[in-house]
Amino acid sequence: MKTIIKITLSLALLISQTLYSQVLEQDSLALVAFYNSTGGPNWDNNSNWLTGPVNNWHGITVEDGRVVKLGGYGNSLDNLVGVIPPEIGDLTALKGLFIGHESGLTGNIPAEIGNLDELTGLGIGNCSLLRQLSLWENNITGSIPPEIGNLDSLEFLELQENQISSSIPSELGNCNSLTELRLNNNQLNGVIPAELSNLENLTIMHLQDNNLTGNIPESFSDFFLDWDNPLELNVSNNQLSGKLPPEWGNMSFSINELNIANNNFSGLPLVNYNWLMTFFDIRGNKLPFEQMESHYESFQSGIYFFFNYWPQQNMLIPIDTALSIGSNYSIYSGTAGEYTYYKWFKDGELLAEGADLDTLFINNFAAIDIGVYTCQATNSLLSMLTLHRNPVSISIYEDVSNVECHEPEISLYPNPASQELNISFSDKWTDFEISIYSNTGICIFHQQVEGVENIIRFNIKHIKTGVYLLKIQTKNKTYTEKLIIK
């Protein structure tokens, strides 16, 4: 067996020394590895590969005995199937590496490409002269190498339409020359790194059609403050949530495109004709009328050129709760808005309607009130959109103690309170509502909370002295506490 291996290696060496003698041996062997690893026999054009002088192989450019270009305009390498082999890093004189964008490459981007110090057309790692990295529309998997952050001259990073499943490395924020970042249509996860806001020359950031979570970093306001270099930001079709920073509403922005469609955003900053926008898309979120109205007025005035706002997801979360006979209960629509009209339904039948019914009160609960409650809200300003509140199912709870549950899971302090109210939780809670009611059953405070680790604080200076009922509504339980404000 050893004899056979020696003969095979000797034969390969002999071929490389004769047939490919025009170039350095390591270059010819690297090209052979590349050909075999990417399905060379099935390329759309593999003319002369492995059969003649290397400088006659389709797509190969040789200078001074070294391979300096692989692929390129008019010599593209198409229909590549397989993986980019690590031997690609042996082409140390390579200045251009161009692969057809509709090839079938799979696997990781090899870190060995980082050895290509002369590369100016495509590469990864320590290629300090690299200006463009383009591997889009393949089947590349794995992660984005953080070494890309070392590419000081990189202007275009195009990895869209692959199967990359990592998070976005924060090191990309070091690519100071980057003008276009296209990572869309992958399987990226995790949050959007705040470090990307360091890319002061960026004009396009496409992160749509991934699995990103969290919010848009507050520091991204730096992009929108640059009136000479407006950003095109697309984060649609992800799993982003929360509210865009309300502080942004006080800033004067110039934005080429802001596309946050089809996420789980629940709030927008209120603006006062101080955002100049070419394209604004907020469809498919959980945005209330009250936070869309000022943006629509900007659209009406002409400072937003395109504004897409409908449809939206159902508001708030579904609730299935049980009440004791005689108790009071309220259901918030989650929509609000100056131009909003509400219709409340019980078991599909119209129960009440009006312009001042953003909250439905059920006082002195009785058996007749058992049912499923929904709300349908329209807005005379945003006339194309109808918002629906997720259903609230109410039944009778025989054991009153289970309704007014004083388990150690939550606690209020100080109580009596005067300036600030703290609510502590024994563990992480998600998706619940907090309301404060006067002794006449009027809701004077309401807030939806998407998540809290241990404690949440409220400023209560605006609430008058008195005795109140604080209610925390989860999907399955209702917690109530007596609250004294002095």
Side-chain angles (χ1 to χ4, degrees):
M1 180 63 73
K2 292 183 178 179
T3 301
I4 295 175
I5 294 175
K6 289 180 179 179
I7 293 174
T8 303
L9 291 176
S10 299
L11 181 60
L13 181 61
L14 179 62
I15 292 174
S16 65
Q17 290 176 337
T18 57
L19 187 60
Y20 314 143
S21 58
Q22 300 89 344
V23 300
L24 194 68
E25 179 181 327
Q26 72 178 42
D27 285 14
S28 61
L29 292 177
L31 291 178
V32 172
F34 180 81
Y35 181 87
N36 292 330
S37 183
T38 59
N42 297 313
W43 292 355
D44 288 350
N45 189 340
N46 59 6
S47 299
N48 300 323
W49 273 75
L50 310 187
T51 61
V54 171
N55 63 328
N56 290 334
W57 295 4
H58 172 74
I60 300 300
T61 303
V62 176
E63 293 179 1
D64 298 326
R66 297 301 308 275
V67 174
V68 296
K69 194 173 183 181
L70 179 57
Y73 183 76
N75 291 290
S76 63
L77 298 175
D78 296 314
N79 197 31
L80 277 65
V81 177
V83 298
I84 300 176
E87 288 86 351
I88 197 74
D90 294 335
L91 300 173
T92 53
L94 200 65
K95 298 179 181 179
L97 172 57
F98 302 96
I99 298 171
H101 67 269
E102 293 184 352
S103 295
L105 294 176
T106 59
N108 296 331
I109 302 170
E112 286 79 3
I113 293 184
N115 299 331
L116 308 182
D117 295 331
E118 300 297 322
L119 199 64
T120 60
L122 175 64
I124 295 174
N126 298 318
C127 316
S128 58
L129 301 178
L130 183 66
R131 292 185 294 108
Q132 181 173 350
L133 171 52
S134 178
L135 286 172
W136 59 282
E137 203 172 327
N138 283 281
N139 292 302
I140 296 171
T141 59
S143 59
I144 300 175
E147 291 83 1
I148 292 179
N150 299 328
L151 306 178
D152 295 335
S153 300
L154 189 65
E155 297 177 9
F156 305 93
L157 178 56
E158 300 171 317
L159 301 178
Q160 69 269 31
E161 299 184 58
N162 281 288
Q163 303 295 324
I164 302 173
S165 57
S166 67
S167 59
I168 301 174
S170 60
E171 288 83 357
L172 294 186
N174 298 327
C175 299
N176 299 320
S177 300
L178 203 63
T179 61
E180 296 187 14
L181 176 61
R182 301 178 187 267
L183 304 178
N184 52 286
N185 296 86
N186 278 284
Q187 300 174 23
L188 296 172
N189 53 60
V191 300
I192 301 173
E195 288 82 0
L196 296 184
S197 61
N198 296 331
L199 303 174
E200 58 184 20
N201 295 308
L202 203 65
T203 58
I204 294 176
M205 185 189 300
H206 283 183
L207 305 178
Q208 69 269 26
D209 295 286
N210 281 289
N211 299 312
L212 298 172
T213 56
N215 205 336
I216 298 176
E218 185 175 350
S219 57
F220 273 29
S221 60
D222 294 343
F223 290 124
F224 308 139
L225 292 171
D226 187 353
W227 286 69
D228 296 325
N229 196 33
L231 180 68
E232 180 180 310
L233 175 62
N234 191 334
V235 297
S236 62
N237 300 304
N238 279 283
Q239 300 175 29
L240 301 172
S241 60
K243 300 179 179 181
L244 299 188
E247 296 80 9
W248 287 6
N250 299 322
M251 301 178 181
S252 296
F253 283 167
S254 175
I255 304 174
N256 191 19
E257 174 184 342
L258 180 55
N259 190 337
I260 64 171
N262 301 317
N263 283 281
N264 294 302
F265 287 110
S266 58
L268 294 175
L270 303 179
V271 294
N272 187 24
Y273 305 103
N274 52 322
W275 285 17
L276 180 63
M277 185 92 69
T278 301
F279 183 88
F280 194 20
D281 195 338
I282 61 174
R283 295 172 296 171
N285 286 285
K286 300 179 179 179
L287 299 170
F289 280 128
E290 65 177 340
Q291 295 178 4
M292 290 188 279
E293 289 175 343
S294 63
H295 293 276
Y296 189 81
E297 289 171 339
S298 292
F299 170 65
Q300 284 184 316
S301 69
I303 61 175
Y304 290 4
F305 199 73
F306 293 103
F307 181 48
N308 298 329
Y309 62 89
W310 62 279
Q312 293 287 323
Q313 299 182 46
N314 285 357
M315 308 304 293
L316 306 179
I317 60 173
I319 293 176
D320 189 351
T321 189
L323 304 178
S324 60
I325 297 296
S327 63
N328 297 329
Y329 190 74
S330 66
I331 306 173
Y332 178 52
S333 67
T335 64
E338 182 179 354
Y339 305 95
T340 306
Y341 189 86
Y342 307 89
K343 290 184 178 180
W344 287 92
F345 298 85
K346 175 176 171 289
D347 296 328
E349 299 291 333
L350 183 63
L351 181 66
E353 61 180 310
D356 57 351
L357 290 177
D358 65 331
T359 301
L360 178 69
F361 295 97
I362 302 175
N363 297 319
N364 194 22
F365 176 74
I368 195 175
D369 297 316
I370 296 173
V372 178
Y373 293 80
T374 57
C375 180
Q376 174 181 299
T378 56
N379 189 284
S380 59
L381 185 63
L382 296 100
S383 58
M384 300 295 292
L385 176 62
T386 298
L387 294 180
H388 300 268
R389 198 235 187 271
N390 267 313
V392 177
S393 301
I394 301 177
S395 59
I396 292 179
Y397 217 103
E398 300 295 339
D399 187 356
V400 177
S401 63
N402 285 335
V403 178
E404 299 199 4
C405 181
H406 299 282
E407 300 175 12
E409 296 181 59
I410 63 170
S411 62
L412 312 181
Y413 63 93
N415 192 9
S418 58
Q419 302 290 319
E420 184 179 76
L421 174 65
N422 303 288
I423 307 176
S424 66
F425 302 84
S426 59
D427 53 18
K428 183 176 180 178
W429 285 34
T430 59
D431 294 334
F432 60 94
E433 301 177 22
I434 296 179
S435 304
I436 298 177
Y437 297 92
S438 68
N439 56 10
T440 59
I442 298 175
C443 181
I444 62 171
F445 175 87
H446 181 90
Q447 181 170 328
Q448 181 183 6
V449 181
E450 295 184 351
V452 63
E453 292 287 348
N454 297 111
I455 188 171
I456 188 169
R457 296 179 173 86
F458 298 101
N459 187 327
I460 57 172
K461 294 179 181 179
H462 62 287
I463 301 180
K464 296 180 180 180
T465 301
V467 179
Y468 297 87
L469 178 69
L470 182 139
K471 180 186 294 184
I472 299 178
Q473 178 71 62
T474 71
K475 184 175 181 180
N476 300 315
K477 281 188 177 181
T478 301
Y479 295 84
T480 60
E481 288 282 354
K482 182 179 179 180
L483 172 63
I484 301 175
I485 297 180
K486 63 178 183 178

